[in-house]
Amino acid sequence: EALSTVWVAVLQATLEAVVRSAAPAQARIAVIGMGRLGGGELGYASDADVMFVCEPLDGATDSEAVKWATAVVEGVRRRLGTPSPDPALVIDADLRPEGRQGPLVRTFESYRAYYARWSEAWETQALLRARPIAGDDELGRRFTRLIDPIRYPAAGLEPAAVTEIRRIKARVDTERLPRGADRSTHTKLGLGGLADVEWTVQLLQLQYAGDIPELRTTSTLDGLAEAAAADLLSPDEAAALVAGWTTATRARNAVMLVKGKPGDQLPRSGRELAAVAVAMGYSPGGDPGVFLDDYRRVTRRARAVVERVFYGAPG
């Protein structure tokens, strides 16, 4: 959470600086945090997932507003990507409508029209972690009110929609897991890892947050706590998912610290594994295999809950 707070402050300051240096303003802009940034869960290896929404100022047309706002956004991305003593913040806007094929910036009304007609299941799920993080506060709050009925459907999910989410998850696991990766120790897409826990929480939110306002959170851990409070998870199930998620998160950060570059796969052996184990709090000089055994045990327990709650397997 601390890392997310720092980067939000950096993003806000950079946006303000670019706006001051730009041509006379044609629009107001709000930056919507998505993914781990929206959830306040940035790790050392995380990109900053965002969407950009604008609204014309008096006298400006929609096209003028979008053109001006796009130039501002490109300026922000250039500044944040400039080499410096601090790590670069990679801005990723691929969760926007139509993904990479869609415009980088849309007006508020364009978002309204899109979500009313074209929104797909993966986009609805992505909106569960959306929250305003920078730019115009009032525009950000209105965007939140716009998407709330979409991401927290009053009637929950039809069985066909649940089936579709499970199908998408299975495809993501198959297509994105790198060749040769070990699913028992891949922190992001592995068994009982980050994606398993996050998709489980998000399915519960899509199913029940329409009736249970406490589930309307962008935080994975808060979502788990509220799901347990609402008896959607038993205390033991929630504890297993929390342990799997926090262990995978810490291990992913440890890999980044040891290798100096992002990585989701735990080392199988050698010095790197020993260094990751030490970063995880294990004794220097000890057997790093103990860490691997502990990691697999914790994530196996989390995966057992995922099988029951997300995939609907018999308990």
Side-chain angles (χ1 to χ4, degrees):
E1 184 175 356
L3 187 58
S4 297
T5 301
V6 169
W7 279 121
V8 166
V10 170
L11 184 58
Q12 176 68 39
T14 305
L15 177 63
E16 292 173 354
V18 173
V19 168
R20 285 195 300 269
S21 64
Q26 299 287 302
R28 55 178 62 91
I29 303 174
V31 184
I32 309 301
M34 305 287 287
R36 299 190 189 287
L37 180 59
E41 299 164 351
L42 275 186
Y44 296 130
S46 302
D47 294 341
D49 291 307
V50 298
M51 295 197 303
F52 301 99
V53 55
C54 73
E55 190 170 63
L57 292 174
D58 292 342
T61 65
D62 282 2
S63 61
E64 289 169 339
V66 169
K67 181 179 179 179
W68 181 85
T70 301
V72 168
V73 167
E74 293 288 9
V76 169
R77 296 176 82 177
R78 282 194 301 272
R79 290 199 183 195
L80 292 175
T82 299
S84 73
D86 297 317
L89 177 62
V90 179
I91 298 293
D92 187 340
D94 289 352
L95 292 178
R96 66 188 185 270
E98 302 175 277
R100 295 180 182 178
Q101 306 304 316
L104 183 60
V105 183
R106 286 179 180 263
T107 65
F108 179 86
E109 290 302 325
S110 176
Y111 276 106
R112 184 200 300 276
Y114 179 87
Y115 288 132
R117 186 172 183 183
W118 299 112
S119 182
E120 299 182 19
W122 71 267
E123 292 174 307
T124 300
Q125 186 174 347
L127 289 175
L128 288 169
R129 306 184 85 177
R131 67 180 175 97
I133 58 170
D136 187 277
D137 290 338
E138 192 274 336
L139 179 58
R141 288 193 297 272
R142 278 196 287 125
F143 185 84
T144 299
R145 291 196 295 271
L146 170 68
I147 64 173
D148 275 354
I150 301 169
R151 59 183 175 174
Y152 309 132
L157 291 181
E158 296 291 334
V162 175
T163 299
E164 174 68 4
I165 290 171
R166 290 170 175 164
R167 185 191 66 80
I168 293 172
K169 172 71 163 61
R171 190 181 71 189
V172 168
D173 288 349
T174 300
E175 295 179 357
R176 296 189 182 179
L177 188 72
R179 180 175 297 181
D182 182 350
R183 287 202 72 193
S184 71
T185 55
H186 195 276
T187 59
K188 184 175 181 181
L189 298 176
L191 302 174
L194 299 177
D196 264 3
V197 177
E198 290 164 7
W199 281 67
T200 300
V201 173
Q202 290 160 15
L203 180 60
L204 292 175
Q205 290 176 309
L206 290 169
Q207 290 175 305
Y208 301 108
D211 288 332
I212 306 174
E214 291 79 10
L215 283 173
R216 300 175 188 181
T217 173
T218 64
S219 163
T220 300
L221 295 181
D222 288 349
L224 286 170
E226 295 300 341
D231 293 327
L232 301 175
L233 295 171
S234 72
D236 286 346
E237 287 173 332
L241 293 177
V242 168
W245 189 88
T246 53
T247 300
T249 297
R250 291 182 60 226
R252 191 178 190 224
N253 287 336
V255 169
M256 174 68 178
L257 290 173
V258 168
K259 292 189 172 184
K261 60 182 180 180
D264 297 310
Q265 179 67 63
L266 294 181
R268 289 175 170 81
S269 61
R271 293 180 180 178
E272 286 188 344
L273 176 60
V276 169
V278 170
M280 290 289 291
Y282 288 74
S283 299
D287 180 5
V290 174
F291 157 63
L292 279 185
D293 290 344
D294 289 346
Y295 180 90
R296 290 191 178 104
R297 182 172 58 254
V298 169
T299 53
R300 275 199 306 268
R301 290 172 179 166
R303 177 66 183 195
V305 178
V306 172
E307 293 284 352
R308 293 194 298 271
V309 177
F310 183 84
Y311 289 107

